[in-house]
Amino acid sequence: MAEWKTVLVTGGTGRLGRALVPRLLDAGHRVRVLTRKTREPAAQEWVVGDLRTRGGPAGAVAGVDAIVHLATTNGKGDVAATGNLIEAARAAGVPHLVYVSIVGIENIEFGYYRAKLACEHLIEESHLPWTILRTTQFHDLVTAICDVQRVSPVTIVPAGVCVQPIDVTDVADRLVPIVAGPAAHRIPDLGGPQVRNLAELARTYHRTIGRRRLVWPVRLPGKAFRDYRAGHHLTPDRAVGRITFDEFLGSRRTHDGDR
């Protein structure tokens, strides 16, 4: 039987966090979610702290057995935030630190990926027990690319780029046994079930929600897009996710219709 643990989740209100927290609770763990403001009581425990300040997460990590670090600033702020979390964790009894990262970040010239890689290095050198799980992009990335351009009659996507999107529930399901087990360092990547052209996925999304849009693939310049075209962000040998993009859209449409 898995050991019951006290688990702190940073980024617990984000897409992945909202899927993970109830699964940890169902597994019998006591769950704390780090927040910067006081919130109403819930099944999980809210703990106030700020990863952006040194000492900010100290109270949140006190007495925990494991930390799942999902919080992100989507930029260089991740490095300082991760450093502050590690410092607090060292002082709190060296809990198991679980970090969710992104497939192929060492091979893609993209600023956010540079920050994620720096966070990985901090964790590897932290002297804490640690596990790093890399995943491919979430299904939501494709819908976000389309939605941010929703007022335009044309949706522009990078030409020649394939993606391997994965559902956050697949990632959350993988994280639960990781939290329950011992630190394992870098574990096998987690990829979505299908590698598909980004333009094709964009057309599928628009068609599914009934939005008439022309999808225009444009060959974009720069090293990052060259690396994406080369497929460095893909892991076809680890296509272990279960929920396809079409199934994700079907589920999302069902939930939207229920509201």
Side-chain angles (χ1 to χ4, degrees), residues 150-196:
R150 62 186 175 275
V151 299
S152 171
V154 177
T155 297
I156 296 174
V157 298
V161 173
C162 289
V163 291
Q164 190 180 352
I166 191 167
D167 199 80
V168 292
T169 60
D170 284 335
V171 180
D173 287 340
R174 180 68 186 94
L175 284 170
V176 172
I178 292 172
V179 169
H185 296 177
R186 270 291 304 278
I187 59 177
D189 294 341
L190 193 64
Q194 299 173 329
V195 176
R196 295 177 62 185

Side-chain angles (χ1 to χ4, degrees), residues 90-172:
R90 282 177 181 157
V94 293
H96 177 194
L97 179 54
V98 179
Y99 185 58
V100 177
S101 191
I102 304 171
V103 168
I105 54 177
E106 71 274 33
N107 295 314
I108 298 176
E109 289 293 334
F110 180 41
Y112 178 49
Y113 288 5
R114 299 295 94 185
K116 294 290 284 188
L117 191 61
C119 290
E120 287 189 2
H121 291 160
L122 285 177
I123 291 167
E124 291 165 355
E125 298 166 1
S126 67
H127 301 293
L128 296 170
W130 58 270
T131 301
I132 293 175
L133 171 66
R134 287 183 174 184
T135 80
T136 51
Q137 288 74 23
F138 299 156
H139 290 312
D140 309 74
L141 173 66
V142 180
T143 62
I145 290 171
C146 296
D147 288 343
V148 77
Q149 304 177 72
R150 62 186 175 275
V151 299
S152 171
V154 177
T155 297
I156 296 174
V157 298
V161 173
C162 289
V163 291
Q164 190 180 352
I166 191 167
D167 199 80
V168 292
T169 60
D170 284 335
V171 180

Side-chain angles (χ1 to χ4, degrees), residues 15-32:
R15 291 191 301 272
L16 177 54
R18 291 194 301 270
L20 175 62
V21 167
R23 284 167 168 76
L24 290 174
L25 291 169
D26 288 345
H29 300 296
R30 179 185 177 189
V31 181
R32 299 178 184 174

